[in-house]
Amino acid sequence: MSKRYRAFAPASVANLSVGFDLLGAALKPVDNHVLGDEIIIEEQETVTENEPCLIETTGRYAHKLSTDPRKNIIYDAYLLYRDELKKKGLSVKPLKMTLKKDLPICSGLGSSAASVVAGVMALNALHDEALDSAEALALMGQLEGRISGSIHYDNVAPCYYGGLQLITSDSQSISMELPCFDNWLFVSCFPGIKVSTSQARKILPIKYLRRDLITYGRRLATFVHACHIGDEKLAAAMLVDVVAEPYRAKLIPGFFDARAQGEKLGAYNTGISGSGSSIFSVFTDMDKALEMKEYLERFFIDNEDGFCHICRIDKRGAFSEELN
Ligand code: HSE
């Protein structure tokens, strides 16, 4: 009997205000709402030689994807995976992937990363884990780079490994997990408007002032140190962005009002999630987090595509399992 697997990849928040392109965390709603993309993969006997990979899409945001399956990023994942296997003298099986697209595209929640991570994990599950995790992550980074315009791992690495990840780009390990604060609550809100990462990168300066460069380095280094010594207040004080937010805030209507509300409620920080349009506020008090969620649902969400969840950092990350 042919085998079937399910792969799930969670939402993630990149940059975390203090670590542009270098920090990211996987997110999991505290109410157990499923926030991520899922792929069911199965061997197919009926596919033709011309079309050895069938793709179907379902889920809340499937209607936002191209109707041409070959334009889906998981088709690119299939092609690249096939090439990687070829290099090892292996070949891919004829297969079908069903993507349940529950993360909105261009949302700042690592939507393309989640599809890519779930895609590569599903393919790898069907092919007896032919790629090791470093090879799989490198492939995920390449695929994510095709969408956002440059390779950066601050969504794919936390999505894949879980936890709070520091991108080291070291040849031994692209990413390393940082100790994080388990009591931090991330009120994560997607207003329902699209911001493309490649466009949001184009509006950033090519060169930065030395002053900002030093501030960025100082804050990121201090944040990493604070994570290691468990100094929550020090870490929280570093959550300030000089690299992207000053230029991108204008893409997100209501951002400054939301930040002011966060400050009023005692948030550690309110920042842009990845390249937007989602934002996140960090709290330790659940009642205040709930108040912030209510505010965002009332005043920040723009349309019916938007949503807000109170999340913790998801330590598990992506996973795959065999289905009966
Ligand atoms: N770090 C990227 C950016 C977003 O802010 O452009 C997510 O990969």
Side-chain angles (χ1 to χ4, degrees):
M1 207 176 88
S2 64
K3 292 190 168 176
R4 290 171 76 226
Y5 296 86
R6 167 180 177 260
F8 174 78
S12 53
V13 48
N15 300 339
L16 277 176
S17 301
V18 60
F20 180 79
D21 274 1
L22 300 181
L23 277 182
L27 294 177
K28 183 177 166 64
V30 292
D31 62 3
N32 288 328
H33 177 96
V34 178
L35 192 60
D37 284 356
E38 176 191 276
I39 289 180
I40 308 284
I41 194 165
E42 54 206 311
E43 252 180 270
Q44 284 287 102
E45 274 149 30
T46 52
V47 291
T48 64
E49 218 169 90
N50 291 338
E51 194 55 279
C53 169
L54 299 179
I55 288 180
E56 273 182 16
T57 50
T58 65
R60 181 172 174 187
Y61 296 99
H63 65 290
K64 304 273 180 187
L65 301 170
S66 166
T67 50
D68 179 356
R70 287 177 180 248
K71 292 200 175 134
N72 194 302
I73 186 69
I74 66 166
Y75 185 71
D76 289 345
Y78 163 79
L79 294 177
L80 261 192
Y81 189 85
R82 188 187 63 184
D83 294 347
E84 284 305 304
L85 253 52
K86 225 182 246 171
K87 288 183 203 159
K88 290 177 184 279
L90 301 168
S91 54
V92 283
K93 299 172 180 174
L95 56 91
K96 176 177 163 190
M97 287 197 274
T98 306
L99 167 65
K100 186 158 180 280
K101 187 72 199 155
D102 282 337
L103 286 179
I105 56 169
C106 298
S107 61
L109 291 170
S111 167
S112 53
S115 288
V116 156
V117 170
V120 174
M121 285 194 83
L123 286 158
N124 220 19
L126 191 69
H127 296 91
D128 302 320
E129 309 295 333
L131 301 189
D132 66 27
S133 71
E135 291 169 326
L137 182 63
L139 203 68
M140 293 163 186
Q142 267 188 65
L143 288 159
E144 165 75 353
R146 288 187 184 185
I147 293 181
S148 57
S150 67
I151 296 182
H152 40 91
Y153 289 90
D154 52 348
N155 281 120
V156 285
C159 176
Y160 185 37
Y161 291 133
L164 171 61
Q165 296 285 333
L166 173 69
I167 311 307
T168 56
S169 297
D170 183 77
S171 58
Q172 299 297 311
S173 81
I174 286 170
S175 171
M176 285 182 186
E177 185 164 359
L178 290 177
C180 57
F181 304 100
D182 293 339
N183 58 329
W184 281 16
L185 298 166
F186 291 76
V187 184
S188 173
C189 185
F190 171 54
I193 62 169
K194 281 166 69 173
V195 170
S196 109
T197 299
S198 63
Q199 291 304 322
R201 291 180 86 78
K202 280 188 190 139
I203 64 168
L204 299 181
I206 292 169
K207 293 181 178 174
Y208 284 87
L209 292 175
R210 187 187 305 163
R211 184 191 64 201
D212 291 337
L213 186 73
I214 293 167
T215 302
Y216 176 70
R218 174 178 60 76
R219 288 204 183 116
L220 180 56
T222 307
F223 178 82
V224 171
H225 176 67
C227 288
H228 281 290
I229 62 169
D231 188 334
E232 173 181 348
K233 293 252 154 45
L234 181 62
M238 296 301 116
L239 296 175
V240 185
D241 183 359
V242 288
V243 176
E245 192 182 290
Y247 310 96
R248 289 176 171 171
K250 61 175 182 256
L251 303 177
I252 305 172
F255 173 69
F256 290 112
D257 289 341
R259 161 172 287 170
Q261 180 67 12
E263 270 170 24
K264 212 165 106 187
L265 292 170
Y268 274 154
N269 170 47
T270 297
I272 300 174
S273 181
S275 56
S277 61
S278 293
I279 63 170
F280 69 98
S281 284
V282 181
F283 288 89
T284 52
D285 181 314
M286 181 58 88
D287 289 337
K288 297 289 177 196
L290 281 165
E291 273 189 61
M292 186 68 184
K293 179 173 182 279
E294 272 170 35
Y295 168 88
L296 293 169
E297 284 172 343
R298 204 156 157 218
F299 298 109
F300 182 67
I301 290 180
D302 178 70
N303 59 56
E304 68 285 354
D305 285 333
F307 55 76
C308 186
H309 292 288
I310 300 176
C311 303
R312 289 192 197 277
I313 292 184
D314 175 357
K315 300 274 182 68
R316 184 179 187 188
F319 59 88
S320 59
E321 59 193 0
E322 189 170 350
L323 299 173
N324 293 325

